Amino acid sequence: MRDRWSREQVLGLAPDASSARAAGGVAKPAKWAGTGCDDEAVWGECQGSGKSSYRTCADLTGPAFRCTCPSRKFPCKHALALLFLWADGLIEEAEGAPGGAGGRPPAEVEEAEGAPGGETGRPPAGEGVGGGSRPAWVAEWLEDRRERAGRAAERRAAPAAKVRDPKTAERRSRRVDDGLAELDQWLRDQVAHGLAQAEKAPYRLWDDAARRLVDAQAGALAGPVRGLAAIPRRPGWPGRLLEEYALLRLLVRAYQRREELPEGLRETVRSRVGFTVPQEEVLSGGERVRDLWSVTGSRDTAQDLITTRRVWLRGSRTGRPALVLSFAAPGTSLDGSLVVGMQIDAELTFYPGAQPLRALVAERYGAPMRGTPAGTSVRGFLDEHAAALALDPWLDRWPATLEDVRLARTEEGDLYVIDGAGDALPLRIGDPWRLLALSGGGPVTLAGEWRPRGLRPLAAWHEDEGTVVL
């Protein structure tokens, strides 16, 4: 039987805070019947608000979720609640081989007054439910998933039938050239007119420039240009704004001279401008690295109705970082297969670039397992980051995994993370109390995203508490 996840790992799958809170109210044994689990899945039937019950199951190898409730969130509160019960050891292992009807039949039950549960509370030990063999509806869903995954793998392995139209590519290249030439002139105008005007400039100044980049099919630059609007509202903004102008000008000039660049750097410049590489090309021709990959952090951000999930991994043997991205439009789900705190034996395929970072999971070997990632000292991290910046000066974030670090405050009250050698990094965190309570003054392994303003913690590992998603 696979290791059960912690409640923190289950919380990391929640699509939003309201779903996590709602799941806490459903994660009560009295609400469930027909439950069971095996090495691949966990299942059960949850009593709904009326007479009907919702069939819920989770594929633990994905993970992936199925529920007959009408919710459009993935995973829904029932799937999260089922995983909470499983994580707490309150769902028993299946009695026999998968495929039988097994399990105790659903029953209409009423929740006992004052029943335990909630978002973080655990029902008392001994109140587990189920233990029946895998029902047919679960087996059918899992088999369907395996078949669809096999067909998708065949499609990826087959050579791409679609050939790019050279005339279309040429038209786009001309539009991008014109758009970047206009951006270059805009940047020179901002510096020529003086930085002081930026402090009172309307948002339209930046937004209009970004819209023109989208029209020129150089949309990847629109976000950084719009982001310039927030800089004049921060302390020490003139230097920071000039730095951002310089990086944008460097990118424009690099693209205009792209034919003179080494292949890796040329691919980096193209991706920063907005040219994408199809997944099929990455899987067929990208650099492949097999390792025991630790999932060190995950963060979701929303922009223009699209939610992006960034999942950071670190190779246990190579020490190499990797970034797996997934995207979801309203009403669709993000990839939940990489759970913070787990380790997967897998082969990743990296997108081309001077500093390859973004990757796809090409092949998995065996089931995920719990584990603490191997990290570095603060000095080791800074050396890694400096080497990465030398290859890709436009990196705006870099993953950090720090071993045996403690929290400390300055006299001004600023929070830092400090290692045994006395080297420290500033933390950028809105609510530090959870991290402070976890560490208790002792050492932890801390993972997060490093940005110019400091380290944003994403997860921590404690000797006694295990993995805690922040």
Side-chain angles (χ1 to χ4, degrees):
M1 187 68 183
R2 70 170 60 238
D3 289 339
R4 302 200 181 200
W5 304 339
S6 68
R7 290 178 69 89
E8 296 291 344
Q9 289 169 315
V10 176
L11 279 172
L13 297 171
D16 50 46
S18 62
S19 297
R21 287 192 296 270
V26 183
K28 301 175 181 179
K31 288 182 173 286
W32 290 84
T35 58
C37 64
D38 56 29
D39 199 47
E40 287 186 302
V42 56
W43 58 86
E45 299 188 35
C46 180
Q47 182 63 37
S49 56
K51 293 184 178 180
S52 61
S53 59
Y54 299 127
R55 287 180 169 180
T56 309
C57 55
D59 182 348
L60 301 173
T61 63
F65 316 95
R66 177 182 183 271
C67 185
T68 58
C69 77
S71 174
R72 299 179 67 179
K73 294 183 178 181
F74 298 93
C76 68
K77 66 179 181 181
H78 305 103
L80 290 171
L82 183 67
L83 288 173
F84 278 141
L85 293 173
W86 174 70
D88 291 341
L90 298 175
I91 293 180
E92 299 174 8
E93 239 178 284
E95 295 173 350
R104 63 186 177 92
E108 292 186 28
V109 294
E110 293 186 1
E111 177 187 345
E113 184 176 350
E119 182 178 355
T120 57
R122 301 187 179 189
E127 291 189 8
V129 290
S133 59
R134 183 189 291 179
W137 60 271
V138 177
E140 291 171 4
W141 177 66
L142 292 174
E143 181 62 26
D144 181 62
R145 275 184 48 76
R146 303 295 179 262
E147 291 178 358
R148 283 188 282 113
R151 291 194 295 269
E154 291 175 1
R155 288 194 300 270
R156 289 195 298 266
K162 185 178 180 181
V163 179
R164 296 180 185 177
D165 182 358
K167 292 184 177 179
T168 301
E170 184 180 350
R171 284 195 298 271
R172 184 185 179 187
S173 180
R174 287 198 301 268
R175 287 180 181 175
V176 173
D177 287 342
D178 293 343
L180 264 62
E182 186 177 357
L183 175 62
D184 188 33
Q185 184 61 55
W186 183 85
L187 289 168
R188 286 186 288 170
D189 289 345
Q190 304 314 304
V191 176
H193 295 157
L195 297 180
Q197 67 165 354
E199 191 171 16
K200 296 182 180 180
Y203 178 71
R204 186 178 64 254
L205 172 70
W206 328 98
D207 190 53
D208 287 349
R211 289 176 184 275
R212 290 193 292 270
L213 287 167
V214 173
D215 293 340
Q217 294 185 281
L221 287 170
V225 170
R226 285 194 179 99
L228 297 174
I231 295 178
R233 292 158 180 79
R234 300 172 184 165
W237 66 268
R240 182 63 181 161
L241 184 61
L242 188 60
E243 179 183 339
E244 292 298 324
Y245 282 161
L247 284 171
L248 284 170
R249 180 87 195 289
L250 179 64
L251 184 57
V252 169
R253 297 295 292 157
Y255 182 79
Q256 292 171 340
R257 301 178 61 179
R258 59 191 178 278
E259 299 303 327
E260 305 173 31
L261 302 177
E263 182 181 358
L265 184 56
R266 183 166 61 248
E267 291 296 335
T268 293
V269 170
R270 283 174 53 84
S271 68
R272 297 287 179 187
V273 170
F275 290 91
T276 59
V277 181
Q279 288 192 4
E280 293 78 9
E281 290 187 17
V282 177
L283 290 169
S284 61
E287 178 192 7
R288 290 189 171 232
V289 179
R290 181 175 176 180
D291 204 337
L292 183 63
W293 297 95
S294 297
V295 185
T296 60
S298 176
R299 189 176 178 216
D300 296 349
T301 56
Q303 184 177 7
D304 297 332
L305 300 180
I306 298 296
T307 302
T308 302
R309 173 167 292 171
R310 295 193 304 273
V311 180
W312 296 103
L313 299 94
R314 185 176 181 86
S316 300
R317 293 183 288 271
T318 62
R320 183 167 181 170
L323 171 65
V324 177
L325 296 177
S326 62
F327 307 92
T332 61
S333 59
L334 291 159
D335 177 20
S337 63
L338 298 172
V339 180
V340 177
M342 304 300 284
Q343 294 179 325
I344 57 169
D345 183 2
E347 188 173 60
L348 301 189
T349 303
F350 285 83
Y351 282 74
Q355 172 58 60
L357 182 62
R358 185 183 175 189
L360 299 172
V361 180
E363 193 74 34
R364 297 174 186 251
Y365 305 91
M369 64 192 80
R370 291 189 196 178
T372 301
T376 67
S377 64
V378 170
R379 174 55 57 189
F381 161 72
L382 292 175
D383 289 342
E384 283 183 9
H385 186 232
L389 278 178
L391 296 172
D392 182 356
W394 302 283
L395 280 172
D396 60 347
R397 54 173 60 86
W398 187 255
T401 305
L402 306 172
E403 278 185 336
D404 294 328
V405 292
R406 290 176 166 82
L407 302 181
R409 286 192 183 275
T410 64
E411 293 181 357
E412 293 77 20
D414 297 325
L415 195 61
Y416 279 71
V417 61
I418 185 169
D419 65 11
D423 296 321
L425 293 173
L427 290 183
R428 182 170 165 251
I429 182 171
D431 182 4
W433 298 111
R434 193 176 189 188
L435 182 56
L436 289 167
L438 171 71
S439 64
V444 296
T445 295
L446 183 67
E449 287 182 342
W450 174 255
R451 303 201 65 182
R453 295 174 61 196
L455 179 67
R456 181 189 182 99
L458 297 177
W461 287 259
H462 188 272
E463 184 178 7
D464 298 326
E465 298 296 329
T467 306
V468 176
V469 179
L470 301 170

